[in-house]
Amino acid sequence: MTMLLPALLAVFLGASAQAKTVRFSGIDWEVKNGPGMGPGPNRWSDDSKSVWVDAQGRLHLKLRSRGGVWTCAEVFTKGPTKYGMHRFRVIARPKDWDPGVVFGAFLYQSDTEELDIELARWGDAGDLNDAQFAVQPYDKPGHTRRFPLEPSGQSTLEIDWREDGVAFRADGVSWNREGAVPGLTVPRVHLNLWLFKGKPPQDGREAEIIVSSVEIPERPIP
């Protein structure tokens, strides 16, 4: 019995350390949790008030203050995606958010192997463009396309990743990048709501986005 206790304790601790998951749009998503992680860096929460699926089957990501400490929200697929259409239907008005709030729907393998659609003003309240397409690294010439999002509050965002390039679309705006995306082979799909440079909102208000549905190619078995 004495020898069993360490083994049982290890099993218990291992189970408690497992990442929280949510089921949304027929996909299992892991929920990010912990301090000092990018982007930002920010503190991330897997609390049910930060990330949850409502009775209508929609995913909510919420940026919130907990005793003056701001937490962000992110989920990502447990396995890699593959070539094909990735479609995200969202309910959001980024112009109503603090200019430091960012939403991302993206395919991620590393910081330089990434395809992004981001709703963001990057801290500039006067920026009329509140959305962008990006192929990382974003600061290379021709790797970013910024545009204003339609003000309806409901948007369909698309990343069509192909062997010969990628096509982005959002509310009638499209951007094609011909040529293979270097190094991108087994990215996961991520959704997040976070603070630019980790700075608290200037207006002190919390923010939320609702993702109505996500469609991704049938994923290969890991």
Side-chain angles (χ1 to χ4, degrees):
M1 181 67 177
T2 306
M3 295 181 65
L4 283 175
L5 284 176
L8 290 172
L9 182 61
V11 170
F12 173 78
L13 290 175
S16 64
Q18 288 181 354
K20 180 179 177 180
T21 62
V22 295
R23 183 78 173 172
F24 163 62
S25 273
I27 304 164
D28 290 323
W29 305 78
E30 292 190 19
V31 184
K32 192 172 184 175
N33 187 59
M37 293 186 285
N42 282 288
R43 177 179 290 273
W44 303 85
S45 174
D46 64 358
D47 190 281
S48 59
K49 293 181 180 179
S50 299
V51 178
W52 73 97
V53 178
D54 65 24
Q56 299 177 56
R58 306 176 306 176
L59 176 71
H60 295 246
L61 301 177
K62 189 167 184 178
L63 184 72
R64 45 193 291 262
S65 177
R66 304 164 65 187
V69 177
W70 286 89
T71 60
C72 304
E74 179 169 339
V75 299
F76 52 92
T77 55
K78 299 185 73 172
T81 186
K82 63 179 185 179
Y83 293 131
M85 176 62 73
H86 299 73
R87 183 175 291 115
F88 313 91
R89 293 186 173 88
V90 301
I91 301 173
R93 295 180 184 275
K95 283 186 175 64
D96 292 343
W97 296 340
D98 180 271
V101 176
V102 182
F103 167 73
F106 56 106
L107 279 56
Y108 179 87
Q109 185 168 301
S110 75
D111 288 351
T112 58
E113 299 162 326
E114 181 179 349
L115 303 173
D116 298 275
I117 298 180
E118 292 160 314
L119 310 186
R121 288 180 287 167
W122 307 114
D124 183 357
D127 193 345
L128 299 180
N129 294 314
D130 55 0
Q132 72 177 33
F133 307 129
V135 175
Q136 298 296 336
Y138 74 92
D139 52 356
K140 283 191 173 184
H143 276 223
T144 304
R145 163 80 158 86
R146 289 189 56 70
F147 59 95
L149 200 69
E150 286 291 328
S152 67
Q154 299 193 42
S155 298
T156 299
L157 317 175
E158 296 179 348
I159 303 174
D160 187 7
W161 177 43
R162 306 183 302 263
E163 190 171 3
D164 62 349
V166 59
F168 297 92
R169 283 183 290 274
D171 293 348
V173 178
S174 61
W175 188 53
N176 295 324
R177 289 272 309 176
E178 299 300 329
V181 181
L184 195 65
T185 55
V186 286
R188 297 189 185 194
V189 182
H190 289 241
L191 302 166
N192 61 16
L193 189 67
W194 53 283
L195 290 166
F196 180 51
K197 296 183 177 179
K199 295 181 179 179
Q202 299 172 27
D203 61 11
R205 293 188 297 127
E206 297 183 342
E208 181 179 341
I209 190 166
I210 299 173
V211 185
S212 302
S213 66
V214 169
E215 300 168 25
I216 65 176
E218 182 181 348
R219 287 173 293 144
I221 298 174

